[in-house]
Structure formats: structure tokens, C-alpha cells
Amino acid sequence: MCDETTTMRSYWKIRTENGNKPMHGVIGARCSGATMALSRIAALENVPQISPSSDSAQLSNDIEFPNFSRMVSPNDERGEGTFQK
């Protein structure tokens, strides 16, 4: 399953189990919607995030997702891969 609610709960559960200290970094989520939610939370604590599979072009917005990096090319509005400089 890949959804925003599960992602948010998991982030805070791991953080709580770590003595409420921010993480050094986050890998994931598997899909773009959950990645966006996770990236917004992680950015509040300046935690870097990398996703191996999230391909939404929206995640290329460095202002909205300043600590996000990806391992795949973003899709354009037609769902086709694009090259990111």
C-alpha cells in the first residue's frame, strides 16, 4: 500500500521510537502522492529525502520540495519520462 496517511504515521512512529530526534535522511516513498506528503514533513526538519520510484513532475519544484531528490526521471503531463538537468 502506498498512501499519504500510512506514510505520515510511519514517519512519526519511527521518529518517536528514535527519541523524538529528527532522522538523518529518508528513503521513499514508493509512489508520488505519498512522497509529496513525506517530503513536506521532512522539509520542516530539514531532513533530506530520496525516492527510487516517485516520478511526478511536480516533485521537481525545488521551492515546494527543497530536500527531495529522485532516482528516476520525472514524467511530463503526458506520462512520458523527461530528462531533468
Side-chain angles (χ1 to χ4, degrees):
M1 175 151 48
C2 188
D3 67 80
E4 294 87 352
T5 304
T6 301
T7 301
M8 307 287 271
R9 285 184 186 147
S10 296
Y11 181 89
W12 289 112
K13 180 180 182 213
I14 292 168
R15 193 180 187 288
T16 301
E17 290 171 354
N18 191 35
N20 279 324
K21 292 184 256 175
M23 293 177 235
H24 296 289
V26 178
I27 299 174
R30 185 170 39 106
C31 62
S32 296
T35 295
M36 288 181 213
L38 178 58
S39 187
R40 288 182 178 110
I41 291 176
L44 294 173
E45 300 181 310
N46 206 29
V47 174
Q49 176 190 13
I50 188 165
S51 174
S53 57
S54 296
D55 60 3
S56 170
Q58 186 177 351
L59 286 161
S60 297
N61 182 332
D62 293 336
I63 294 170
E64 191 173 356
F65 304 102
N67 297 347
F68 175 77
S69 295
R70 70 172 96 230
M71 297 171 65
V72 296
S73 295
N75 282 334
D76 64 11
E77 56 277 350
R78 296 175 307 230
E80 298 174 358
T82 59
F83 177 74
Q84 179 178 345
K85 293 181 183 179

